[in-house]
């Protein structure tokens, strides 16, 4: 291993690392802000639930499945005009955060819906029978009971976004993927390629461990 070469690429690796955290952080925030309510909506409008609505359930489900069915690399290219329209550019981590966010929202929403389905419906029925409002049921029953699953889902979403962000590097999105492509692949620099792979492995392991720890800590079952 050429340590001098490793030292030389550290400044660029540092920039790429924080670019990855930046774009993933934006996408994750948007996924929580939009995907969490969407996931709850998909659950509470299902058959037999207190806000059952076939039309809303079908529409939200179709839109969610439609976006999820598109491979990210295709979604990335498809959203280039939209990204350029709202940001004026398609290059850089901020631009890459747009398709990352679009991909993350339905992904996280389905995880939230799946977590909510694990709740005993008897608890919800009991709350409805005593006159609890829909908001109270969501706030005091669904979200607390589904919290471990939601946190685990957030961990999975974060790791998936890191992988997606590497793809975004192929079209100038910045981050570790961009560094690996520009230096590791195009310039046949094995040192850069190995280093970026190791950094991504360590990052994913830290996130997975942290997410599992928090999920277990909040699990009161």
């Amino acid at each position: 291993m050429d340590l001098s070469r490793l030292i030389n690429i550290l400044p660029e690796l540092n920039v790429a690392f924080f670019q990855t955290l930046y774009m993933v952080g934006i996408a994750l925030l948007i996924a929580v802000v939009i995907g969490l309510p969407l996931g709850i909506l998909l659950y509470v409008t299902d058959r037999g639930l207190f806000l059952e609505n076939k039309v809303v359930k079908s529409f939200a489900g179709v839109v969610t499945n439609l976006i999820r069915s598109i491979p990210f690399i295709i979604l990335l290219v498809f959203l280039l005009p939209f990204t350029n329209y709202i940001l004026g550019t398609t290059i850089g981590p901020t631009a890459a955060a747009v398709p990352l966010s679009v991909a993350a929202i339905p992904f996280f929403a389905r995880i939230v819906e799946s977590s909510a389905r694990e709740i005993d419906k008897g608890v919800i029925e009991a709350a409805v029978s005593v006159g609890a409002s829909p908001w109270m049921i969501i706030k005091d029953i669904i979200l607390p009971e589904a919290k471990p699953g939601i946190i685990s889902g957030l961990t999975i979403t974060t790791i998936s976004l890191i992988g997606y962000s590497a793809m975004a590097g192929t079209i100038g999105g910045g981050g570790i993927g961009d560094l690996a492509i520009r230096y590791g692949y195009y310039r046949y620099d094995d040192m850069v390629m190995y280093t970026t792979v190791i950094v991504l492995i360590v990052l994913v392991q830290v996130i997975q461990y942290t997410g599992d720890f928090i999920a277990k800590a909040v699990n009161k079952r």
Side-chain angles (χ1 to χ4, degrees), residues 27-204:
L28 201 60
L29 177 62
I30 294 176
V32 172
V33 171
I34 301 178
L36 179 60
L38 178 59
I40 296 297
L41 181 67
L42 285 167
Y43 173 68
V44 299
T45 55
D46 202 2
R47 181 184 302 175
L49 272 297
F50 55 93
L51 289 179
E52 179 180 346
N53 190 311
K54 187 176 181 180
V55 174
V56 173
K57 170 69 176 180
S58 298
F59 178 76
V62 167
V63 172
T64 300
N65 292 336
L66 183 64
I67 298 175
R68 289 188 65 200
S69 65
I70 304 174
F72 180 72
I73 191 66
I74 297 176
L75 183 67
L76 190 65
V77 176
F78 178 75
L79 290 174
L80 285 177
F82 175 70
T83 302
N84 187 62
Y85 175 75
I86 63 174
L87 295 177
T89 182
T90 59
I91 304 299
T94 303
V98 174
L100 282 173
S101 301
V102 173
I105 290 169
F107 185 87
F108 185 58
R110 283 300 188 186
I111 291 178
V112 172
E113 180 190 14
S114 178
S115 299
R117 288 186 184 280
E118 296 179 6
I119 301 172
D120 184 0
K121 285 189 177 181
V123 177
I124 297 176
E125 291 171 355
V128 173
S129 66
V130 297
S133 67
W135 169 243
M136 289 180 63
I137 296 173
I138 293 172
K139 178 174 66 74
D140 297 329
I141 297 177
I142 296 178
L143 289 178
E145 290 292 322
K147 189 185 296 182
I150 291 174
I151 292 174
S152 295
L154 201 59
T155 304
I156 296 171
T157 303
T158 304
I159 293 172
S160 297
L161 286 174
I162 291 173
Y164 291 162
S165 72
M167 293 185 207
T170 62
I171 61 168
I176 296 176
D178 180 51
L179 182 67
I181 293 296
R182 284 191 295 114
Y183 289 90
Y185 180 71
Y186 290 140
R187 300 186 185 182
Y188 304 102
D189 193 329
D190 291 339
M191 172 62 72
V192 173
M193 186 63 73
Y194 295 150
T195 303
T196 54
V197 169
I198 292 172
V199 169
L200 287 173
I201 290 174
V202 172
L203 179 60
V204 167

